[in-house]
Amino acid sequence: MKEYQVVLIDKSHKNESEILNPVFWEKAYCLTDFCSPWKSDSFSKIEFRALWDSDYLYFNFQVFDSEVYIDRKDNSTDSICNSDRVELFFRKDDKLSPYYCLEMDVDARVLDFEAYPKWNFDYDWKWPEGQLEIQSVKKQNAFTVLGKISIASLKELDLIHNNTIETGVYRAKFSKDEKGEYQPTWITWVNPNTEEPNFHIASSFGKFVLMK
């Protein structure tokens, strides 16, 4: 499995706005190894970073894209699913029974749900209350979605084993087709080697290694 090393930082970062400062992320490894196995078209550069301390896992998606599509008709599941977004999936093991999904758009809307194999999604499930914070920043040529997830909640969901979190890292990019309709390009850190786009499969996950 692919691995990403999550650097340990000092547990002195309590200011919520601090993670918006680029200096906060200087120690993090920059992950740019993304692919879109089902399309030959190029896509905008993505930089992903993560850090951790004894309280939180911090994450940062920076996407260099000047044409971001957001469906703002409401805040429903469909609206978020029809928008440019970034995603993190977490699993206990390769049985995927269950695994947990966070889909986040430029408006910092979050679609969090518990999932089981064969596209069995429980949209009524929510990440443990108060254990997840998301922020976003939109600029002319890029957007950033970042946040923090409590270590306590990851442990509660049995997602940390031997200082490793099995994780999927993804992006959905919507663009107009020839008919003027928005269609997604699916982008992933790990190529799942499927004929059709599919993030909801064991082969799309890698490992986040929590460094000591």
Side-chain angles (χ1 to χ4, degrees):
M1 292 175 68
K2 272 188 173 181
E3 292 188 359
Y4 172 78
Q5 295 184 343
V6 184
V7 173
L8 176 67
I9 57 174
D10 181 70
K11 184 185 166 182
S12 61
H13 306 280
K14 296 301 181 185
N15 188 335
E16 288 185 11
S17 65
E18 189 170 7
I19 65 172
L20 296 172
N21 188 337
V23 174
F24 179 88
W25 300 97
E26 286 181 348
K27 292 182 180 180
Y29 292 109
C30 181
L31 177 66
T32 59
D33 185 18
F34 290 89
C35 62
S36 182
W38 309 282
K39 273 192 176 181
S40 59
D41 302 350
S42 61
F43 56 87
S44 302
K45 182 180 179 181
I46 304 165
E47 293 182 354
F48 176 84
R49 295 173 173 86
L51 295 164
W52 78 290
D53 61 25
S54 58
D55 288 334
Y56 292 101
L57 172 70
Y58 305 88
F59 64 89
N60 181 323
F61 287 89
Q62 188 168 17
V63 181
F64 296 86
D65 188 352
S66 59
E67 297 182 3
V68 178
Y69 176 69
I70 301 293
D71 180 344
R72 293 191 173 96
K73 66 177 180 291
D74 54 36
N75 289 322
S76 66
T77 295
D78 286 345
S79 181
I80 299 174
C81 285
N82 289 329
S83 299
D84 280 16
R85 62 191 185 278
V86 294
E87 305 178 355
L88 289 172
F89 292 1
F90 303 103
R91 73 182 195 190
K92 302 177 184 180
D93 53 45
D94 60 6
K95 295 178 182 178
L96 303 182
S97 290
Y99 60 106
Y100 302 94
C101 306
L102 299 175
E103 304 191 5
M104 304 158 283
D105 71 10
V106 181
D107 288 349
R109 298 183 300 180
V110 181
L111 177 60
D112 49 347
F113 57 97
E114 184 179 60
Y116 290 83
K118 299 182 179 179
W119 306 81
N120 181 2
F121 303 154
D122 180 3
Y123 289 120
D124 291 329
W125 182 91
K126 298 299 177 188
W127 199 269
E129 187 174 357
Q131 306 300 305
L132 169 68
E133 295 181 20
I134 307 293
Q135 300 183 63
S136 64
V137 178
K138 177 73 169 68
K139 297 182 179 179
Q140 184 173 354
N141 296 315
F143 69 87
T144 302
V145 176
L146 71 170
K148 60 184 184 180
I149 302 168
S150 77
I151 296 296
S153 67
L154 292 167
K155 289 180 177 178
E156 178 185 334
L157 297 171
D158 193 26
L159 295 172
I160 303 179
H161 300 127
N162 298 318
N163 273 8
T164 298
I165 307 171
E166 297 187 8
T167 310
V169 187
Y170 317 101
R171 183 191 175 209
K173 164 62 183 173
F174 281 78
S175 305
K176 278 187 179 180
D177 61 15
E178 296 175 351
K179 299 179 181 178
E181 298 176 351
Y182 282 93
Q183 301 293 337
T185 296
W186 302 104
I187 301 162
T188 176
W189 170 37
V190 177
N191 184 348
N193 294 306
T194 57
E195 290 187 12
E196 300 294 329
N198 188 358
F199 297 162
H200 297 272
I201 190 170
S203 57
S204 76
F205 286 72
K207 291 182 178 180
F208 281 9
V209 180
L210 304 178
M211 305 301 291
K212 290 287 190 166

